[in-house]
């Protein structure tokens, strides 16, 4: 479009002059700010006049001139706002500044109890050479079951126990334990292996105070030449004392898992009543905290590890269970309901 119209040229000249002027205005007080507003944006101000001049611009050039004017008005408003903000800031710093005033509290929240316990357990095992391994929560049958020596008819493979991703397809499921991660580690690394696998696991359970459809586990795996059951017991005793205090004792009861042989369940002496008997330990003096055993040679072989050369142990525990004993939380649902009143009670250290 031609911009040759005399009126339009004049208007452009005016606009650029105003732009220069507005930049050079010194606005150092509220009075000056108000004067600025009246001069440029007020009902009798520069903008008002310019919009009045628009009448005289040729019709075909009105649109462009109007756009230029609108832009100018927006820029003036921005300059006005900038001056205003600066004035307010300097005022705050000036008369009202009191350097002796205590700073306001910053609300930083607190860490989730399960995160605290998870970090503590990782730290305890890292001190004796364990690294951390993680894997997918959506897992295939091989890593969650078959490689771990689960027979085809094992009840854990049932719809009642496991969440399968697709109806009728029993190949892909939400992992039911983090032993699946350990299979992945064995497939990809050569012994010696010393690793713990923290993570969320899923089971098809009705939600209640004592059971949930998801929870968190930390499983451990140690594979090397000549690893023995005595090594396992000593490792777990070290762990129990680190978590529950120097006085903690453990006992092992024979048990069964498809992937370990022999297998055991581990109890720790009741930290709540010092083994005298209370309702938490059901008057036995002992609390069950984890499952463990020597890795079944079939499991080693399934992941390509020579079971004639290597042996190993594995153990697995629920993070909620350890947190329950440390913090005396008796309802599992509290961990996932995000009630601030519950969560803010936990602090690190
Ligand atoms: N994977 C078992 C569970 O989910 C725990 C476990 C791990 C038991 C390793 C023995 C050895 O319950």
């Amino acid at each position: 479009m031609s911009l040759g119209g005399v009126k339009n040229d004049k208007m452009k000249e005016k606009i650029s002059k105003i732009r220069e002027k507005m930049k050079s205005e010194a606005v150092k007080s509220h009075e000056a700010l108000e004067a600025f507003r009246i001069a440029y944006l007020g009902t009798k101000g520069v903008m008002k006049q310019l919009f009045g001049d628009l009448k005289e611009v040729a019709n075909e050039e009105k649109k462009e001139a109007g756009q230029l004017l609108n832009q100018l008005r927006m820029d003036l408003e921005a300059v006005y706002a900038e001056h205003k903000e600066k004035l307010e800031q300097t005022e705050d710093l000036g008369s009202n500044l009191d350097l002796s005033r205590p700073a306001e509290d910053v609300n930083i929240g607190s860490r989730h109890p399960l995160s605290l316990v998870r970090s503590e357990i990782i730290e305890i095992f890292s001190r004796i050479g364990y690294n951390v391994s993680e894997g997918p929560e959506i897992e295939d049958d091989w890593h969650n079951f078959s490689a771990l020596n689960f027979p085809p008819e094992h009840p854990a493979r049932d719809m009642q126990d496991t969440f399968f991703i697709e109806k009728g397809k029993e190949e892909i499921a939400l992992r039911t334990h983090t032993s699946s991660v350990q299979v992945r580690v064995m497939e990809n690394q050569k012994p010696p292996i010393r690793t713990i696998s923290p993570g969320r696991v899923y089971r098809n359970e009705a939600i209640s105070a004592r059971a949930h459809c998801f929870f968190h586990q930390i499983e451990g795996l140690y594979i090397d030449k000549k690893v023995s059951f005595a090594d396992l017991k000593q490792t777990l005793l070290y762990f129990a004392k680190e978590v529950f205090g120097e006085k903690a004792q453990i006992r092992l009861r024979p048990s069964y898992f498809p992937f370990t042989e022999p297998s055991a369940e581990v109890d720790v002496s009741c930290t709540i009543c010092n083994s005298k008997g209370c309702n938490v330990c059901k008057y036995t003096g002992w609390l069950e905290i984890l499952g463990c055993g020597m890795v079944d040679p079939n499991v080693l072989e399934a992941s390509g590890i020579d079971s004639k050369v290597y042996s190993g142990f594995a153990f697995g525990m629920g993070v909620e269970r350890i947190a329950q004993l440390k913090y005396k939380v008796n309802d599992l649902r509290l961990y996932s309901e995000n009630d601030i009143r519950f969560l803010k009670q936990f602090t690190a250290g």
Side-chain angles (χ1 to χ4, degrees):
M1 188 208 273
S2 140
L3 296 176
V6 178
K7 292 286 179 199
N8 212 356
D9 276 356
K10 259 198 179 162
M11 178 159 297
K12 282 183 153 181
E13 216 181 294
K14 270 194 191 170
I15 289 177
S16 73
K17 274 198 186 137
I18 292 167
R19 280 189 183 285
E20 262 166 49
K21 205 164 162 240
M22 100 186 159
K23 275 187 218 144
S24 64
E25 297 277 10
V27 178
K28 294 248 157 30
S29 66
H30 279 288
E31 291 74 40
L33 180 69
E34 184 58 3
F36 179 96
R37 190 188 66 76
I38 292 170
Y40 290 96
L41 296 159
T43 44
K44 289 182 187 142
V46 172
M47 274 324 300
K48 184 81 180 172
Q49 282 167 26
L50 280 176
F51 274 111
D53 291 351
L54 205 53
K55 285 200 290 287
E56 289 162 46
V57 174
N59 266 347
E60 68 272 21
E61 291 176 350
K62 269 209 173 84
K63 185 173 168 207
E64 194 197 1
Q67 281 169 351
L68 289 172
L69 285 183
N70 274 329
Q71 188 56 51
L72 177 63
R73 187 181 50 201
M74 286 195 290
D75 294 346
L76 276 165
E77 280 166 356
V79 171
Y80 172 79
E82 223 174 89
H83 282 310
K84 190 167 175 211
E85 201 184 309
K86 262 195 206 145
L87 267 178
E88 281 164 3
Q89 272 173 9
T90 38
E91 260 179 5
D92 280 354
L93 285 175
S95 52
N96 299 329
L97 184 67
D98 175 2
L99 289 176
S100 65
R101 243 169 71 180
E104 267 179 39
D105 268 357
V106 181
N107 193 353
I108 52 167
S110 54
R111 291 185 67 201
H112 193 282
L114 296 180
S115 300
L116 291 172
V117 172
R118 175 185 189 273
S119 306
E120 186 183 343
I121 297 173
I122 290 175
E123 217 259 315
I124 290 170
F125 281 105
S126 72
R127 288 208 290 272
I128 53 171
Y130 283 73
N131 64 15
V132 171
S133 45
E134 286 181 328
E137 291 183 16
I138 297 176
E139 207 26 300
D140 53 34
D141 179 277
W142 172 256
H143 292 97
N144 198 74
F145 295 125
S146 297
L148 288 160
N149 211 27
F150 279 78
E153 68 285 353
H154 193 281
R157 292 184 129 129
D158 219 72
M159 296 267 286
Q160 268 81 49
D161 286 294
T162 300
F163 289 116
F164 292 95
I165 300 290
E166 256 179 77
K167 240 191 174 156
K169 266 200 184 169
E170 271 145 44
E171 191 40 42
I172 306 291
L174 294 178
R175 66 182 177 196
T176 60
H177 50 186
T178 55
S179 304
S180 54
V181 182
Q182 309 191 326
V183 174
R184 288 178 179 276
V185 172
M186 287 191 284
E187 286 172 343
N188 292 309
Q189 291 174 27
K190 288 197 164 58
I193 291 171
R194 219 180 284 166
T195 192
I196 53 172
S197 316
R200 184 174 282 190
V201 301
Y202 301 83
R203 290 185 196 172
N204 195 355
E205 306 242 12
I207 297 171
S208 72
R210 299 176 60 86
H212 211 295
C213 59
F214 63 78
F215 57 99
H216 300 80
Q217 277 192 330
I218 296 189
E219 297 214 354
L221 177 70
Y222 178 28
I223 298 175
D224 203 348
K225 291 176 181 154
K226 298 196 177 114
V227 176
S228 71
F229 203 92
D231 297 327
L232 168 60
K233 207 177 154 190
Q234 203 55 38
T235 303
L236 296 177
L237 181 60
Y238 156 78
F239 166 72
K241 285 181 183 294
E242 290 297 312
V243 177
F244 297 108
E246 193 43 42
K247 282 203 209 122
Q249 290 297 320
I250 57 168
R251 74 172 184 188
L252 279 71
R253 286 178 286 108
S255 186
Y256 173 78
F257 299 103
F259 34 90
T260 46
E261 181 60 35
S263 305
E265 243 148 324
V266 179
D267 299 338
V268 64
S269 49
C270 183
T271 46
I272 290 158
C273 62
N274 281 329
S275 304
K276 288 192 186 76
C278 66
N279 62 352
V280 179
C281 63
K282 302 202 189 76
Y283 301 94
T284 62
W286 295 97
L287 300 159
E288 186 186 322
I289 54 163
L290 55 83
C292 67
M294 300 305 291
V295 182
D296 191 305
N298 285 346
V299 173
L300 295 175
E301 295 292 339
S303 302
I305 291 175
D306 188 343
S307 62
K308 290 187 195 69
V309 181
Y310 294 104
S311 58
F313 64 69
F315 55 87
M317 69 189 96
V319 181
E320 279 83 350
R321 174 70 172 152
I322 307 293
Q324 176 196 25
L325 297 176
K326 271 185 84 87
Y327 298 121
K328 307 189 174 60
V329 175
N330 283 325
D331 190 332
L332 268 182
R333 292 169 291 196
L334 287 166
Y335 291 119
S336 50
E337 279 172 352
N338 285 337
D339 185 330
I340 299 278
R341 291 166 303 176
F342 170 70
L343 295 173
K344 75 177 177 195
Q345 302 173 78
F346 302 92
T347 45

